[in-house]
Amino acid sequence: MSSPFDVPAMVLAAPNPDKDRRIARASQYPHYMWFIIASFIGFLTLCRLISIVFSKLPRNRPSQEASDPEKRTDRRNNRNVRFSNLPQALVNLYRILAFRLTITIGTFSVNLAEVTVCVLYIVALFTLLLINDTNVKGVPFDISYWSNRAGTLLASQFPLITVLGTKNNVVSLLTGIGYEKLNVVHRMLARTLFVLLCVHAAGRIYSGLEEDIHETWLHTGWMAALAFCVLFIISLRPVRGKAYEFFFYTHMALALIILGGAYYHTSTFVDGKDTFGHYLWPCFLIWGLDRVIRAIRLVAFNHSYFGFGSGSGTLDATTELLTPHLVRITLKRPSHFHWAPGQFAYLITPGVSSLPFEGHPFTIASYDSTLNAKEIAPGTEKSSESPKSYWKELVFLVNVREGFTKRLGHVAAQKGTIKVFVDGPYGQRNDLSGFDSVVLIAGGTGVTYTLPMLLDVVEGVRSGRRTCSRVSFVWTVRDSRHFKWALDVINSAVKLAPSSLTVEIHLFVTGSSNTDWDTVSTDSKLESPGGVSTLSAGGSTPPPSPFEIPGLKVSLGRPSLDNILKAETEEARGGSMCVAVCGSESIAGTVRRTLGFSVAGPTSIMRGGASITLLVESFGYA
């Protein structure tokens, strides 16, 4: 028999409409965000597939007219509007808007495509954060709605940030965008999530934490938040650039603390029926899978060190100090290791690095050639600078600065041999087969990006895999000693080029303190800003040089890249041209501006101008 003072159970367990609505939306909105992300990745994948299909379609090429000067002249002089070029004009318009318009902050710049992706992500994320935050009493901007929702949205985005930060990831596989390019988006998105963290923490503090002050889930949440704050500070470009090795290892440790603390925080704290730990544990799998793939690659490409192959020390590398600030590392190409021009690899050198498995990325300066040694360099067996290594072996050029590179410089000064593990290759595979003309521009050690492309074009045309009719190689250095190590391989490339391929080499020396003209061929032309002149030591003819490169031009001063590019685009009218550049931000910026609307815009394309693809590689990895 019940007492009149008993309270019905249903009254004690009366539902909280605000809490139920808040939990439902906090659980549902991360799904919306992932639908948006998956749709965008799917769109990029579709665009890539369409691009691959169109690149394989046969088309008439102006290079077929190269042997007929009259047809080439007619093609250049014909500036009538061709509506058949409209699709190509729209493609070039997109290229200019997306990749050649940049926003520069100090020495750092991002293109409009990167900015647009990040802005769209931020808009989508904060729209889902701030919509529908009116409680059942009609009070808008209820802090309990958007503070908790900020936490669930934050937790749901950790897998994306983890994927974008790994070297072997599904996004790169689907879209063809190298992880080094995605790293810019990784940093911007991570900073956006830091703002969400601040919103979540501030909202919880405002709501009061007295009842939960002794709960472990709260402590682990604060631990993850503090680690995120420290990571945000050390990841800022001035800090990251000056102490990259410190940043790299601290970043790894802090990331694990963040993921571990966030997983316990979201799994232990149950808000209603749902927990959000299922967003965090996949991050450990993603990170672990990347490490496993890298370990498998290390074993596969360095098997002799692990006792799986015959012989030992087959990957010992030789070091040479080419100039006081430039080291060359050369090692025999591991079996089954193949790469494309412009790709890079991580070098793990236990005897030089601070830690046993510390890896440093360097662009591969050599080319994965199919030619035999006699074809590449006949009669150069006694040359001190044989070009064969640049066609057959793995060659890396390293600027000597501080830390690892400074220690490497000391070893190279003694011409020491070091143990090297190779992890790679990484980076986008650039296919130059579809272009009628190629322009390669490098500053300093940026030549490690463009030199393999020169060798690729020459060998491709020689073997019939390329239909390119013209390649122009532009290289700028501070003093002529930087040329010496490369002249032999450039010479071999010029000699291997078939008659159907025009090869022009332009070398520029911007400094005057160290100018060793003995490295320049007597057949070469030395140009100054005022015109062409002949240089000699003490007024006499320079001694004969073994590096005789027909048509090589060496100029004093900085190159007029805008004039060079305008001349090359005029030569390529009616066809397609690829411009690849690697150097300082100043060089890259000049190339981007030159290849803007006036040279490669829709109006130019409609009147028969060259369709231009621009590839830009930047110095450094900080």
Side-chain angles (χ1 to χ4, degrees), residues 406-447:
K406 187 175 183 179
R407 295 190 296 271
L408 183 63
H410 292 322
V411 174
Q414 307 300 321
K415 294 187 176 180
T417 301
I418 58 176
K419 301 284 186 180
V420 175
F421 296 90
V422 181
D423 176 21
Y426 294 103
Q428 188 170 338
R429 300 180 68 90
N430 299 309
D431 184 8
L432 303 180
S433 60
F435 299 99
D436 306 303
S437 178
V438 175
V439 180
L440 306 171
I441 301 173
T445 53
V447 73

Side-chain angles (χ1 to χ4, degrees), residues 40-41 43-45 47-48 52 94 99 111 113-114 117 163-164 166-186 343-344 426-430:
F40 183 70
I41 295 175
F43 171 74
L44 294 180
T45 304
C47 291
R48 183 195 181 197
I52 293 174
Y94 164 74
F99 304 112
N111 59 49
E114 294 167 335
V117 169
V163 164
L164 295 178
T166 54
K167 296 177 177 60
N168 304 280
N169 66 76
V170 67
V171 178
S172 292
L173 180 65
L174 293 174
T175 64
I177 303 173
Y179 93 88
E180 74 283 0
K181 305 293 184 185
L182 293 175
N183 197 257
V184 175
V185 183
H186 163 79
Q343 289 192 300
F344 62 95
Y426 294 103
Q428 188 170 338
R429 300 180 68 90
N430 299 309

Side-chain angles (χ1 to χ4, degrees), residues 354-436:
S354 301
L355 297 176
F357 286 95
E358 175 184 306
H360 294 266
F362 298 104
T363 303
I364 304 173
S366 50
Y367 174 60
D368 189 8
S369 175
T370 58
L371 298 177
N372 60 52
K374 291 184 178 180
E375 288 180 291
I376 295 170
T380 62
E381 288 77 7
K382 297 182 180 180
S383 174
S384 60
E385 294 287 336
S386 175
K388 292 191 291 294
S389 60
Y390 288 90
W391 297 78
K392 290 292 185 181
E393 300 176 352
L394 278 172
V395 180
F396 301 89
L397 299 179
V398 181
N399 268 326
V400 177
R401 293 180 180 174
E402 297 295 330
F404 166 77
T405 59
K406 187 175 183 179
R407 295 190 296 271
L408 183 63
H410 292 322
V411 174
Q414 307 300 321
K415 294 187 176 180
T417 301
I418 58 176
K419 301 284 186 180
V420 175
F421 296 90
V422 181
D423 176 21
Y426 294 103
Q428 188 170 338
R429 300 180 68 90
N430 299 309
D431 184 8
L432 303 180
S433 60
F435 299 99
D436 306 303

Side-chain angles (χ1 to χ4, degrees), residues 132-148:
N132 296 331
D133 56 3
T134 302
N135 62 26
V136 294
K137 296 181 179 179
V139 179
F141 305 112
D142 189 323
I143 193 170
S144 64
Y145 275 70
W146 48 261
S147 64
N148 283 347

Side-chain angles (χ1 to χ4, degrees), residues 457-512:
V457 171
V458 170
E459 183 172 319
V461 175
R462 180 185 176 91
S463 63
R465 293 181 289 107
R466 303 277 191 274
T467 56
C468 181
S469 61
R470 179 182 178 85
V471 58
S472 180
F473 184 83
V474 182
W475 184 17
T476 304
V477 296
R478 292 184 179 179
D479 71 75
S480 61
R481 290 179 297 177
H482 288 281
F483 292 147
K484 188 174 182 179
W485 63 266
L487 288 178
D488 243 333
V489 65
I490 293 175
N491 189 28
S492 69
V494 172
K495 289 181 177 180
L496 283 170
S499 58
S500 62
L501 177 65
T502 300
V503 180
E504 292 196 357
I505 309 296
H506 303 271
L507 307 181
F508 292 85
V509 183
T510 60
S512 58

